[in-house]
Amino acid sequence: KAGVTQTPRYLIKTRGQQVTLSCSPISGHRSVSWYQQTPGQGLQFLFEYFSETQRNKGNFPGRFSGRQFSNSRSEMNVSTLELGDSALYLCASSLRQSNQPQHFGDGTRLSIL
Amino acid sequence: QKEVEQNSGPLSVPEGAIASLNCTYSDRGSQSFFWYRQYSGKSPELIMSIYSNGDKEDGRFTAQLNKASQYVSLLIRDSQPSDSATYLCAVTRGGSQGNLIFGKGTKLSVKP
């Protein structure tokens, strides 16, 4: 069974640009959660999608947004990039709810110059 | 008070010893608890989940949960150098659809 697939693996952007990251969950998983991981702050929850609806949202500015498609694939978008957005962005999927075991993809490493 | 707290370590144990990792949480409504292992440069890997008070064993790993004390722990028996990693404790926010909150992790080093 294929795991969670995130693309791209690496991205380099400059301040002010925007970026879109993609996540394909494990087959049959309908909940997708996004996290930002930095050395100082650890893993921080961005948002969770289930059945194309945002079910939970973390404490991030509106520049961070996401969506989920009918096949459960999800994208997250960050607009007007700032240097502090440099981080590892991780996607995790679970069967139905985020309180069930979540399985992570390999992440997208985003660097802002 | 932080929602999920872990000792950052590093925790150093000799090969073959028992490693004990601890985690406390603040939300009394939390229902699901997980331990993840993260090797340097890799993504977190789920190793244990626990939902009710008591112990849950899986191979060399034992998770312990005490909801009254808001405490969850992970024991690793017969520690191996390959267990050297950062261990993340994750707890769901209260309610059936609460999202996961992660601690900052404890770095474990197993010395040969």
Side-chain angles (χ1 to χ4, degrees), chain A residues 79-100:
Chain A
S79 62
T80 319
L81 287 165
E82 301 177 358
L83 291 177
D85 297 333
S86 293
L88 178 66
Y89 290 88
L90 290 160
C91 163
S93 73
S94 57
L95 273 171
R96 286 183 58 81
Q97 298 172 166
S98 56
N99 60 1
Q100 294 173 319

Side-chain angles (χ1 to χ4, degrees), chain B residues 25-105:
Chain B
Y25 60 95
S26 61
D27 189 342
R28 285 197 170 274
S30 296
Q31 300 176 6
S32 304
F33 306 86
F34 305 93
W35 283 99
Y36 286 82
R37 176 176 63 198
Q38 187 172 26
Y39 292 112
S40 181
K42 301 292 186 182
S43 63
E45 173 192 10
L46 178 68
I47 53 174
M48 289 287 286
S49 58
I50 186 165
Y51 304 96
S52 54
N53 281 330
D55 295 0
K56 179 182 178 182
E57 186 174 319
D58 183 0
R60 296 187 295 112
F61 299 97
T62 299
Q64 300 174 317
L65 175 62
N66 183 326
K67 289 185 179 180
S69 301
Q70 295 174 246
Y71 176 91
V72 58
S73 65
L74 179 70
L75 300 178
I76 306 175
R77 290 183 300 280
D78 188 23
S79 295
Q80 301 296 310
S82 59
D83 295 325
S84 298
T86 296
Y87 289 80
L88 302 169
C89 171
V91 175
T92 54
R93 281 214 168 98
S96 62
Q97 296 184 13
N99 57 274
L100 276 187
I101 301 297
F102 283 80
K104 291 191 176 182

